[in-house]
């Protein structure tokens, strides 16, 4: 049975890396000692080793070992043998390009469908959807496709942001961008606010955290979904 | 000699469509009566006819006729015969896809190099750069390439936004996104704030409007460029 945590962000303001979600991760990863970390999304500043060290620091508090996929000779085998997978945030265009270049997209999908627990934050959450087309990121690299893991039957918009009241900026709000997406695409979009996550067990998808999510369905008005509710968008 | 106006936005807060830039447009388009309008970027709400009507309304105040490219049987011939071109804003992924699908990218580039005056706003400005990879837009459609007109020797970031002081949002700031771009790409990026524009005459590129632009060069610290200055980034 597939098991995922799809988190809007790794870090909430004023708190340490993963800290806000550690109680959930402790039970989610109860059965595993080591987690395979995918640092590929990181474009700026940190090396894959440095990014993995941050993930390790976060998981130390619940006694989990983290190993970066870049340290394996064969990343495909690394995924196939992993007890659990964590795909971190960064730039979604870069992440998707790296996953395709290393032939990992289908391999990760298959592993999760076969029951390997999957944690995603930000870009790592974005790719659990049908396509990466509701990312907020800049297209810094041209991926072979926008198609992603399709482990949930909708698209994700992480770091969902409400329109800023009284803003004089004329650029599109997040809601306007998602409406534009729906002029061309039909799948629903789940906007997850920072500090919230989706807990997936088989076909059951529950919104967790303190904040509601915003659900955008093609041809319907967007609506708020309360924490604790099941996501049943169509 | 190529002549372009590359504007951050069509509309500044509290003012009508194109109103802030009409004095500049009056002299820029002094020699032409009719402007070919490219409404392809528009994804939400408006039809191409409705969007063209808005452009016409804006240009009425300086007595210019506007005709939408979608009303011509052959858009390639429409560009080749145009006295002037205006590419409006919307979604850059959609605009670039439409331009490639209609075989217009090279045709517009050639027309502008041959002297057809070009006005871009927002997405229409983004595509004057080397690539569309510093757009702020959502990837609502997969374009055949990210390569754009290359009429200036850098990339454009329209609607440039400074970091919001005291924000608790953990998503990337615009500056962080452009730094990520420079981890993979080397061309400079000119961040144009709303109300500013670049006036291009041949190889001379002057920043106009009231606000400075923010210049990002690969491996250098970003800096501010004052209005009235020549853009000479490298």
């Amino acid at each position: 049975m597939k098991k995922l945590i799809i988190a809007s962000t790794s870090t909430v303001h004023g708190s340490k890396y993963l800290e806000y979600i550690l109680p959930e991760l402790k039970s989610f990863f109860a059965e595993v000692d080591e987690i395979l970390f995918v640092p590929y999304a990181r474009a700026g500043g940190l090396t894959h080793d440095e990014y993995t060290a941050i993930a390790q620091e976060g998981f130390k508090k619940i006694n989990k070992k983290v190993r970066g996929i870049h340290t394996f000779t064969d990343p495909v085998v690394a995924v196939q043998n992993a007890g659990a997978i964590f795909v971190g945030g960064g730039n979604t265009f870069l992440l998707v390009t790296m996953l395709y270049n290393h032939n990992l997209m289908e391999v990760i999908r298959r592993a999760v469908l076969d029951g390997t627990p999957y944690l995603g934050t930000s870009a790592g959450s974005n790719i659990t959807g049908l396509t990466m087309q509701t990312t907020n990121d800049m297209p810094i690299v041209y991926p072979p496709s926008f198609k992603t893991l399709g482990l949930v039957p909708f698209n994700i918009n992480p770091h969902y942001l409400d329109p800023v009241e009284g803003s004089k900026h004329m650029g599109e709000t997040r809601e306007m961008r998602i409406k534009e997406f729906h002029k061309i695409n039909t799948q629903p979009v789940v906007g997850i606010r920072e500090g919230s996550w989706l807990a997936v067990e088989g076909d059951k998808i529950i919104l967790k955290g303190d904040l509601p999510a915003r659900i955008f369905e093609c041809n319907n008005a967007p609506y708020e979904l309360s924490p604790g509710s099941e996501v049943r968008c169509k």
Side-chain angles (χ1 to χ4, degrees), chain A residues 59-146:
Chain A
F59 271 105
K60 207 172 65 182
K61 291 158 204 154
I62 56 168
N63 300 311
K64 302 294 171 192
K65 201 168 163 254
V66 170
R67 183 166 168 194
I69 194 170
H70 62 289
T71 66
F72 288 83
T73 320
D74 187 338
V76 167
V77 175
V79 168
Q80 286 164 340
N81 292 338
I85 300 168
F86 170 28
V87 181
N91 183 288
T92 310
F93 290 86
L94 180 59
L95 174 60
V96 168
T97 302
M98 293 283 281
L99 292 180
Y100 276 113
N101 288 355
H102 288 93
N103 299 312
L104 287 171
M105 197 64 90
E106 189 52 35
V107 176
I108 293 176
R109 177 180 154 81
R110 179 49 47 204
V112 179
L113 289 176
D114 288 346
T116 308
Y118 178 103
L119 166 66
T121 58
S122 192
S125 289
N126 206 304
I127 63 164
T128 64
L130 296 168
T131 75
M132 55 160 286
Q133 291 177 266
T134 46
T135 177
N136 312 308
D137 295 336
M138 242 180 207
I140 62 174
V141 62
Y142 185 70
S145 166
F146 284 162

Side-chain angles (χ1 to χ4, degrees), chain A residues 182 186 188-189 215-223 232-234:
Chain A
H182 275 149
T186 56
V189 180
I215 312 289
F216 299 85
E217 293 169 352
C218 191
N219 299 323
N220 283 331
Y223 61 91
R232 297 169 189 265
C233 55
K234 54 193 180 290

Side-chain angles (χ1 to χ4, degrees), chain A residues 185-204:
Chain A
N185 306 274
T186 56
Q187 66 262 45
V189 180
V190 177
I192 315 177
R193 294 183 174 89
E194 291 181 350
S196 293
W197 65 93
L198 303 180
V200 181
E201 282 199 11
D203 290 336
K204 199 160 188 178

